[in-house]
Amino acid sequence: MLQFILRRIAISALIMFLGSILLYVLMINSGDPLADLRESRAENREQLMQARIDNMGLDEPWWQRYLGWLTGVSRCFVLQCDLGTTRDGASVNALLLASAGASLRLVTVATFLAIFIGVTLGVLSAIRQYSGFDYAITFGAFLFFSLPVFWAAVLLKDFGAIRFNNWMADPAVSTTATAVVALVFALAVASLLGGSLRRQLVTGLVTFAVVFGVVFAFDQVTWWVQPALGLPLILIGALGALGFMLVMTVGLANRRILYAGLVTIGLGLVSYFVTGPLLEDPANWWVIFALAGATVLVGLAVGWVMGGYERRTAMVVSVGTALGMAFLVFMDRLLRGWAGFLDMAPGGRPIGTIGENRIIPERFTGDFWEGIFNWGVQLVLPTIVLTLISIAAYSRYTRGSMLETINQDYIRTARSKGLSDRVVFTKHALRNALIPITTIVAFDFASLLGGAVITETIFGWRGLGAMFRQGLEFVDPNPVMAYYLVAGGAAVLMNMLADIAYASLDPRIRR
Amino acid sequence: MAVVAAGALALAGCTSDSGSDDNDTAAEGGGSEDMSEESGDSEEGSEDSEDMGGEEGDTARADLGDVTPNDDSVSFSSGAEEYNAYNGDTAATNSTYNAVVNNQLQSGFWYWGTDGTIYPNEWFGSYEQTSDDPLTVEYTISDDAVWSDGTPITSNDFLLSWASTNPESMGGAEELGFDPVSTWSTYATEGLETEVGSKEFTVVYPEPYPDWEIAVSAALPAHVAAEQGGLEPDELAQAILDGDAETVSQVSEFWNTGWLFPNYQVEDEALVPSSGPYTLEGAAWESGNQLALVPNENFFGPAPATGNLVFKFAAPETHVQALQNGDINVIEPQATVDTRQQLEGMGDMVAVEDNQQMTWEHLDFNFAESSAFSDENGGLAAREAFAMCVPRQNIIDNLIAPIAEDAQVLNARERFPFMEDYQELVDAAYDGRYDEVDIEGASAKLEEAGLDNPEIRIGYSAPNQRRTEQVAQIKSSCDEAGFNIVDAGNPDFFEAGGTLESGDWEVALFAWAGSGQIASGEPIYSTGGSQNFGGFSNEEVDAAWDTLASSVDPEVHMEQLKVIEKALWDNLYGIPLFTHPGIVGYDSTLENVRPTSVQTGVSWNADQWVRAS
C-alpha cells in the first residue's frame, strides 16, 4: 500500500511540474502585459513601462522567468513559499491566502453536501426504480444539470435573499402554503416507501398530517424568528440517528448493540445538561471540537463495554448515534442564536445578496452563535447553487452504478439465500456501487474550484476565481500560477485520494 | 392521531427566546429598519434640507445646517475594483474606484456642482485671481483647516503637490522621480510664492492658463511624506522653495508607493490622515468586500450626516438586486431601458432618478483623401447631405427617451443642455437647419456633391448594442437619400493599429467624456490636434482656439466658443447627437442623494446622505 501511495505521489508531482511549465509558457504569451501603458498618455510612460518590465522581468527569456518562479515555489519544501508578486508589487502569498480561504470554504461545504445528498438520492431512486420518486429525481437531475449557473444564482438571490428577507419581516405561512408543503412531503415519502397502493395512501396521509401539523405549530409559535429544536426534538432525532446506524449495520438482530445505542443517547441526555453552561457562548471553535472529540470517546467506550462479541459494530453504532445527537445539540444552540442575529442584521434583513459576511467582522459584536450566522447566511445561497448542480450528476451516476450492481449475479445469490432487502442493499450492493463514484467525487471537487469563478462573481466573493481572472486580464503569470497550484494541487490530491479509496474499497487494485 | 399528538409534544420545546426581549420585537423582523429611521430623524437638525436637496436647477451642495453624524450606515458601490491607494494622484492609482473613496478623505478649495460648475469650499479657504498678466492667483487656507491628526493644513502640503508634478526647474522626473498624473508644474513653472508653514500662497502662471481654477484643489499630507522620507516637515517645504532636488527626491518613493494598500488593509493609520468629512482612521475594511469609513472627528467643514459610509466592492451586474435587498443603498447602474424598468418595478422602496452625463455621443467625418466626405471628393455638400438625413430626433425618441425622459438632441459640443449658457451658445452657432430629416434636400445635396450612391462606413467600437441600433436607424433614413450606409463596428476600432488609425471609415461614432476643462477641446478640433482623428482643418477654428486658450476671461471664452461652434456647424466637423443618460437608483428613505453630470459620480455628496424619518 505504501509503495502504491509513493508511486502515486511521484507521478502526481511529475504531472504538476510538467503542467506548470506548459501553463507558464502559455500564460506569458497570452497577451501584452504592457497593453494598458502603451495607450497611456502619461508623460512618464517610458518610466512606467520600464518599472513594470523590471518588476515582472519581461526582458528575461521565458525559461529564466519560469525558473525564478519555480525557485520561489520550491522553497515551499522548507516552508518558505514565495509565489512572487503581482505586476503592481502586491504579494501573491497574501493574495492567495485571502482568496483561497474564501473559495475553499465555499467549495468544501458544497462538495460534502452534494456527495451526501446526491448519493442518497441516487441510491433511493435506484432501489425504487420506475417509481414516481425515481421519475421526479430524474427530472430534477436533468433540470439542475442543465441550469446555467449565473441564471440560477440570480434567481436564487431573488427568492432566497430578497423575498426571504421580505418574508422574514412578518413570517407567516398561509394555510395553502402549509398544505402544499405537506403534500409535497406526503408524495415524496409515499412513493419512496412504496408498497401496495393502500399502503402508499396511508403513508401519504400520515406524512401529510405530520408535516402539516409541524409547519402549523412552527407558525403558531413564531418559530421562524426564534427557532430552536428543544430537548424532545433532539431526542427524536437521536433515536432517528440510532435507527439509521442500525439499518446500515446489523438491524435489530443484535440486541446488545441496540442497548449500547440507547445508553449512548442516555449519556448524551446527561451531557446535554452538563455542557449547557459551556455552550451558552463558547470562546471559540476549539471548544466545539473538544466536545465533539469527547463525544466520540464516550461513544467508543460505550460500544466497547456493551458490545460483546460484535464489539466493533457496537462501537461504530454508538459513535454514529453520539455524533448525530451532538450535531442536533449544536444545531439547537445555533438556531437559538437566530433571533439575536435577526436583531443585528442591517435593516432586519438577514441574508445579503453579496459579500462573505453580513456585517463587517470588525464591527460585529454578537456572541459565538450569532457570529456563525454572520458568515453562515452568506454561505447558504452560493452553496445551494454549487450543490444543486453537482447533486444532479452524483444522483445520476449513483443510480446507474447502483442499478448495475443490483442486477449482478451475486446479488441474486444473496437474495436467493434469503437475506433481507436491508442486508442486500447496504452490505452487498452499496459498497460495490460506490467504487466508481469515488472517481467522480475527485474530479468534481477540482472542477468545482474552477466552476466557482462565476458563482463567486455573482455573489460578490473575492475568491480564487477573481484572482485568476485578474491575472489573465493583466497577463500577470504569478497569480495565475498560484491558482494553478491550488486548483491543480487539489485535482491531483483528490485523484490520489480517490485511488487510495479505490484500493481500500476494492482489494484487487492494491498492487 | 397518536403521531400528531407526539409531534405536538416534541415541538413543545422547540422555540428559543434568547437574543430578543420578547416575542413581539422578534416577530417584527423589519423592526430595526424602523428604528434606524427614527434615529435618523432625531439627528436631523435642519428643516430646510428637503427643500434644498430637491430644488430644481440648484447645482451646488445643499446647506444642511448643523449636522451631527448618526449611527446609521449607508452603502454605495462603484464596481468590483477595490480601493487600493490613499494617493490617487499617481499614474498607477488614478482611477474612479480610488477617487470615490479619496473624495471623502481629502477636501480642497472647490468642488464640481452637478452641472460642472465650480463652487468654492468656503470652509476650506479662499482663492482670488489678482492679476491677468501674468495670471496670478492668491490662495488662503482657513485657519481652522487641520489634518485629522491635528497638523494644520498649510502651504507645505501644496508645495509638495507642486513638486510632485516633477517641475522642470528642479530637474523634472529624472531628478525627482515622482509618478504623477497632474501636469500643474508645466503651467506654474515658477512654483509657489509662500513661506514655510504659511496659510497663504500665491501661484503665478507666466502663460495664460484658462483652466487655472481646477489646477489646485486638495493636497496630500506633506508632513507624513516628509517624515517617511526621513525629513522634518518644514525641511521638505524649504527644500522645495529652494529648488533642492536632491532633498525633495527623498520623499518621491514614499509618495509613489507608501500610500498604497497592496494587501487591502490600512496597516498604519498614522500615514493616512484625513482632511475630509470621513477618515480611514478607525475604519473597518473587509478585504475584497467592503470598506466602512467613519466620520473625521477633527473635520473643520460641515460634518457628515451618516456615521458609517460603506463602499462595497461588488460587480456591477449584482448591483440592482443588492439595492433591492438593501445591501447597497445607492447604485449608479449602466443606463439601459432594462435597468430602468427593473428599478421601477421595485415599487416605493427604491427611488430612480435620471440625468444627463457630460459624456456625449457624436458622428465625426473623415477628411482623409479616401473618404467620400473629404474636400477632394464629396466635400461640404456631401457632409450636408449626410447631416440632413441623420434622424437625430428619432434616435433620441427610440433609444434615449425611454431611459431619460428629458432627453433632447444635442446641438453643441462644448456646452451641454443642462448648463446655463448652452442655449446662448446654440442660438449663436446653429440655426436649426438639421433638426428635421430632409431626404429630398439630402438627395439634392448628394447630387450637387457629384456622388452616386457612395458607400459610407460608420465605424464604432463593437459590441455596443445602442450604437448598432443608431447605425441601423441612420441607414434606414440615409439609404433613401442615396447613401449606402455600412455598419463597420468592430472590437478593435479604437485600439492601436485599429480601424480608426488605419482610416477605413467615413464616419466615426463615439463619445467624448467632457472633463469640465475649458481648453480641452483644442486637440480635438484644431489642425493636427492629437485627438482630431478625422483630420479636420479650419483656420478660423484654429485661431479661435488660440485666442481662447491664451485668455483667462470667461467672456472671451464664450465669445470664441460661439465662433468655434458656428464654424464647426458650417463646415460640418461632425454631428453631435445626445448626452449619455445616467441613472441613479437609491433606497427611497435616503435624503440628499443627487445625481451629477460630472465624472465624480453620484457619490460626490455622499457625506450628506442620510436616512430620513
Side-chain angles (χ1 to χ4, degrees):
Chain A
M1 189 71 187
L2 184 69
Q3 196 196 354
F4 170 78
I5 292 174
L6 286 178
R7 203 169 57 204
R8 289 290 317 169
I9 290 177
I11 294 172
S12 304
L14 186 70
I15 291 172
M16 283 291 284
F17 172 68
L18 293 176
S20 76
I21 298 179
L22 184 67
L23 184 62
Y24 200 93
V25 173
L26 287 177
M27 182 62 221
I28 60 177
N29 289 307
S30 67
D32 177 8
L34 298 173
D36 57 318
L37 291 179
R38 290 194 205 283
E39 290 170 28
S40 157
R41 295 224 201 107
E43 287 173 10
N44 54 350
R45 204 180 74 133
E46 296 303 319
Q47 198 189 343
L48 291 175
M49 282 173 125
Q50 194 54 47
R52 188 175 295 168
I53 289 172
D54 294 345
N55 202 357
M56 295 175 67
L58 296 179
D59 48 354
E60 293 167 12
W62 70 267
W63 52 269
Q64 213 166 333
R65 291 179 70 190
Y66 176 76
L67 280 183
W69 175 80
L70 192 66
T71 320
V73 172
S74 60
R75 274 196 237 126
C76 284
F77 293 113
V78 289
L79 298 179
Q80 284 174 330
C81 279
D82 176 15
L83 300 177
T85 58
T86 66
R87 69 168 195 183
D88 298 325
S91 152
V92 174
N93 285 14
L95 200 64
L96 182 67
L97 273 185
S99 37
S103 277
L104 288 178
R105 200 155 21 130
L106 196 62
V107 174
T108 314
V109 179
T111 310
F112 281 114
L113 270 181
I115 295 172
F116 183 74
I117 302 175
V119 169
T120 313
L121 289 180
V123 169
L124 291 178
S125 64
I127 294 174
R128 297 277 170 243
Q129 196 186 8
Y130 303 140
S131 69
F133 179 82
D134 183 27
Y135 287 129
I137 293 295
T138 307
F139 175 74
F142 281 116
L143 183 70
F144 293 130
F145 195 64
S146 46
L147 274 190
V149 181
F150 62 91
W151 185 72
V154 167
L155 274 191
L156 201 61
K157 287 210 284 193
D158 194 43
F159 288 99
I162 297 170
R163 290 178 196 223
F164 176 78
N165 287 338
N166 289 345
W167 180 76
M168 276 313 283
D170 182 19
V173 185
S174 69
T175 318
T176 329
T178 315
V180 170
V181 171
L183 190 66
V184 169
F185 268 92
L187 287 176
V189 174
S191 71
L192 188 59
L193 292 183
S196 67
L197 191 65
R198 190 169 169 275
R199 200 181 136 191
Q200 286 198 31
L201 201 64
V202 172
T203 335
L205 279 177
V206 171
T207 316
F208 184 87
V210 170
V211 174
F212 191 92
V214 167
V215 175
F216 185 75
F218 276 5
D219 199 36
Q220 288 303 304
V221 297
T222 62
W223 195 83
W224 320 113
V225 289
Q226 40 177 355
L229 293 180
L231 200 51
L233 271 190
I234 294 177
L235 282 178
I236 292 177
L239 288 172
L242 174 60
F244 176 78
M245 291 309 292
L246 288 175
V247 168
M248 295 305 284
T249 52
V250 293
L252 293 175
N254 187 336
R255 288 296 154 131
R256 281 167 177 268
I257 294 178
L258 172 64
Y259 296 145
L262 288 175
V263 168
T264 311
I265 293 176
L267 287 175
L269 192 61
V270 174
S271 63
Y272 171 78
F273 291 104
V274 175
T275 59
L278 193 59
L279 285 173
E280 199 67 47
D281 184 11
N284 53 38
W285 277 98
W286 294 113
V287 178
I288 306 294
F289 292 142
L291 287 176
T295 309
V296 172
L297 286 181
V298 170
L300 287 175
V302 171
W304 196 78
V305 173
M306 300 189 59
Y309 65 93
E310 266 195 289
R311 187 167 272 168
R312 250 182 94 152
T313 317
M315 280 158 79
V316 168
V317 169
S318 321
V319 168
T321 311
L323 279 180
M325 188 168 177
F327 176 73
L328 289 170
V329 173
F330 176 85
M331 286 310 289
D332 178 49
R333 286 289 170 181
L334 184 60
L335 286 173
R336 283 169 200 273
W338 178 248
F341 177 71
L342 263 187
D343 279 353
M344 277 176 220
R349 300 179 74 84
I351 299 188
T353 56
I354 47 167
E356 290 162 37
N357 290 287
R358 191 68 185 107
I359 301 165
I360 305 181
E362 284 175 61
R363 296 284 166 81
F364 186 77
T365 49
D367 65 16
F368 178 80
W369 303 108
E370 289 155 0
I372 296 181
F373 279 113
N374 194 32
W375 56 263
V377 290
Q378 293 304 88
L379 199 57
V380 173
L381 297 182
T383 303
I384 292 179
V385 171
L386 293 177
T387 310
L388 274 185
I389 288 158
S390 353
I391 278 185
Y394 284 140
S395 66
R396 294 308 295 166
Y397 284 126
T398 314
R399 180 178 178 277
S401 168
M402 190 74 181
L403 281 177
E404 195 184 328
T405 320
I406 290 174
N407 293 327
Q408 296 283 327
D409 286 347
Y410 63 84
I411 298 291
R412 200 181 313 139
T413 314
R415 282 190 195 278
S416 60
K417 74 178 179 186
L419 292 180
S420 70
D421 264 8
R422 183 187 61 72
V423 177
V424 171
F425 286 135
T426 58
K427 285 228 145 153
H428 297 260
L430 183 59
R431 188 166 155 156
N432 285 307
L434 281 182
I435 295 177
I437 306 297
T438 49
T439 328
I440 298 157
V441 171
F443 278 115
D444 204 56
F445 185 80
S447 68
L448 262 187
L449 269 180
V453 174
I454 299 168
T455 317
E456 276 173 16
T457 314
I458 297 183
F459 287 99
W461 283 56
R462 194 57 57 96
L464 289 171
M467 185 179 81
F468 177 66
R469 210 179 47 176
Q470 196 173 16
L472 273 186
E473 253 168 48
F474 293 166
V475 199
D476 189 0
N478 287 342
V480 175
M481 296 307 289
Y483 174 85
Y484 168 77
L485 282 185
V486 175
V492 165
L493 186 77
M494 293 310 284
N495 264 318
M496 201 170 75
L497 288 181
D499 284 346
I500 295 168
Y502 248 80
S504 72
L505 284 170
D506 184 353
R508 284 170 302 178
I509 300 172
R510 236 174 283 169
R511 262 172 293 148
Chain B
M1 262 332 276
V3 180
V4 178
L9 184 71
L11 293 171
C14 73
T15 54
S16 61
D17 51 11
S18 58
S20 71
D21 302 326
D22 56 46
N23 281 3
D24 290 345
T25 46
E28 292 168 19
S32 57
E33 196 171 13
D34 298 320
M35 287 184 314
S36 63
E37 282 168 20
E38 275 157 25
S39 68
D41 175 44
S42 61
E43 306 288 350
E44 182 72 44
S46 141
E47 317 94 291
D48 60 359
S49 64
E50 218 160 348
D51 306 336
M52 296 296 291
E55 209 167 298
E56 267 315 298
D58 189 358
T59 64
R61 285 164 65 97
D63 181 4
L64 300 187
D66 236 352
V67 175
T68 322
N70 61 19
D71 291 337
D72 203 4
S73 153
V74 172
S75 56
F76 169 71
S77 176
S78 66
E81 291 85 2
E82 191 161 8
Y83 176 66
N84 66 8
Y86 173 77
N87 180 359
D89 297 336
T90 77
T93 59
N94 185 258
S95 60
T96 342
Y97 50 92
N98 283 328
V100 290
V101 177
N102 285 332
N103 281 345
Q104 305 299 329
L105 307 176
Q106 295 149 11
S107 59
F109 283 103
W110 54 270
Y111 67 93
W112 296 109
T114 55
D115 64 343
T117 313
I118 296 169
Y119 290 101
N121 275 331
E122 274 146 23
W123 41 265
F124 187 88
S126 60
Y127 54 95
E128 195 186 354
Q129 180 192 337
T130 54
S131 160
D132 266 357
D133 191 23
L135 171 61
T136 308
V137 191
E138 280 183 23
Y139 288 89
T140 311
I141 305 164
S142 160
D143 287 338
D144 299 332
V146 287
W147 292 103
S148 52
D149 61 8
T151 314
I153 299 172
T154 64
S155 61
N156 290 4
D157 300 315
F158 290 90
L159 278 168
L160 178 62
S161 289
W162 179 76
S164 69
T165 59
N166 292 328
E168 284 305 322
S169 61
M170 289 170 77
E174 274 168 27
E175 286 291 320
L176 294 171
F178 290 101
D179 173 22
V181 276
S182 163
T183 53
W184 185 27
S185 66
T186 57
Y187 304 99
T189 49
E190 305 298 315
L192 279 57
E193 289 168 17
T194 182
E195 312 260 299
V196 166
S198 164
K199 282 283 186 186
E200 290 171 8
F201 63 92
T202 304
V203 186
V204 177
Y205 297 91
E207 302 287 327
Y209 180 39
D211 287 312
W212 60 269
E213 199 170 0
I214 57 177
V216 182
S217 173
L220 291 162
H223 62 283
V224 174
E227 276 160 26
Q228 295 300 314
L231 301 169
E232 290 297 313
D234 287 351
E235 203 180 336
L236 173 64
Q238 191 61 51
I240 296 171
L241 285 173
D242 295 346
D244 175 1
E246 206 186 321
T247 311
V248 177
S249 67
Q250 288 181 32
V251 301
S252 63
E253 199 194 331
F254 176 78
W255 193 89
N256 292 341
T257 60
W259 274 318
L260 309 185
F261 308 111
N263 298 322
Y264 304 106
Q265 284 299 318
V266 180
E267 267 137 23
D268 186 354
E269 290 185 351
L271 298 184
V272 290
S274 160
S275 64
Y278 287 96
T279 176
L280 286 171
E281 294 151 294
W285 191 345
E286 186 194 353
S287 304
N289 285 281
Q290 50 190 334
L291 166 65
L293 300 180
V294 291
N296 171 5
E297 303 282 333
N298 287 334
F299 187 48
F300 44 94
T306 296
N308 285 287
L309 180 62
V310 184
F311 291 90
K312 303 247 182 184
F313 311 117
E317 52 266 37
T318 66
H319 285 184
V320 173
Q321 282 188 312
L323 174 70
Q324 194 176 6
N325 197 35
D327 303 323
I328 302 177
N329 301 125
V330 182
I331 64 169
E332 206 169 15
Q334 212 183 10
T336 64
V337 181
D338 285 349
T339 325
R340 184 165 185 120
Q341 284 171 349
Q342 251 181 313
L343 289 174
E344 277 172 353
M346 290 178 196
D348 296 339
M349 283 164 49
V350 166
V352 189
E353 282 190 41
D354 61 67
N355 73 334
Q356 300 182 39
Q357 300 292 306
M358 282 171 107
T359 307
W360 57 287
E361 194 108 333
H362 50 91
L363 294 157
D364 288 355
F365 292 111
N366 192 354
F367 292 83
E369 226 170 288
S370 58
S371 160
F373 292 121
S374 73
D375 292 329
E376 292 86 350
N377 298 321
L380 182 61
R383 298 201 292 277
E384 282 175 345
F386 186 73
M388 282 175 175
C389 69
V390 172
R392 293 201 293 162
Q393 190 60 48
N394 263 359
I395 292 177
I396 308 290
D397 291 346
N398 291 332
L399 301 177
I400 311 302
I403 307 170
E405 286 142 11
D406 61 345
Q408 52 173 298
V409 173
L410 178 67
N411 285 324
R413 299 157 183 87
E414 293 290 308
R415 288 291 180 274
F416 304 114
F418 49 83
M419 292 177 168
E420 257 174 60
D421 40 11
Y422 169 76
Q423 203 50 50
E424 186 191 339
L425 180 60
V426 171
D427 289 345
Y430 172 68
D431 56 9
R433 66 191 103 149
Y434 304 121
D435 281 0
E436 302 284 328
V437 174
D438 178 2
I439 300 291
E440 280 171 25
S443 305
K445 279 281 177 193
L446 200 55
E447 210 164 298
E448 184 189 318
L451 296 176
D452 180 31
N453 197 20
E455 186 187 80
I456 306 298
R457 290 164 296 179
I458 303 185
Y460 59 93
S461 182
N464 184 319
Q465 189 56 38
R466 190 155 76 195
R467 288 190 180 144
T468 307
E469 285 171 29
Q470 287 176 53
V471 173
Q473 296 206 17
I474 294 172
K475 181 174 174 60
S476 74
S477 171
C478 288
D479 277 10
E480 275 182 52
F483 286 101
N484 175 23
I485 305 292
V486 174
D487 182 333
N490 70 60
D492 54 357
F493 186 72
F494 267 108
E495 280 174 18
T499 320
L500 188 66
E501 267 182 25
S502 63
D504 293 329
W505 52 282
E506 274 74 42
V507 172
L509 172 60
F510 62 105
W512 285 120
S515 61
Q517 283 168 308
I518 291 161
S520 64
E522 191 172 4
I524 304 179
Y525 304 109
S526 57
T527 307
S530 59
Q531 292 164 325
N532 186 353
F533 302 124
F536 176 82
S537 172
N538 181 288
E539 282 173 17
E540 196 186 354
V541 172
D542 291 353
W545 274 116
D546 279 345
T547 318
L548 188 151
S550 58
S551 165
V552 291
D553 182 353
E555 276 176 30
V556 175
H557 293 160
M558 195 62 198
E559 207 175 283
Q560 296 305 317
L561 278 184
K562 287 176 185 168
V563 175
I564 293 168
E565 292 274 6
K566 182 153 175 34
L568 292 177
W569 272 118
D570 290 346
N571 295 294
L572 280 174
Y573 173 93
I575 307 162
L577 292 171
F578 55 83
T579 52
H580 280 194
I583 289 191
V584 169
Y586 59 95
D587 177 344
S588 55
T589 59
L590 285 178
E591 276 186 353
N592 301 324
V593 179
R594 293 167 58 195
T596 175
S597 304
V598 185
Q599 314 286 340
T600 41
V602 65
S603 71
W604 71 288
N605 71 336
D607 55 308
Q608 296 192 322
W609 296 346
V610 66
R611 280 216 167 71
S613 47

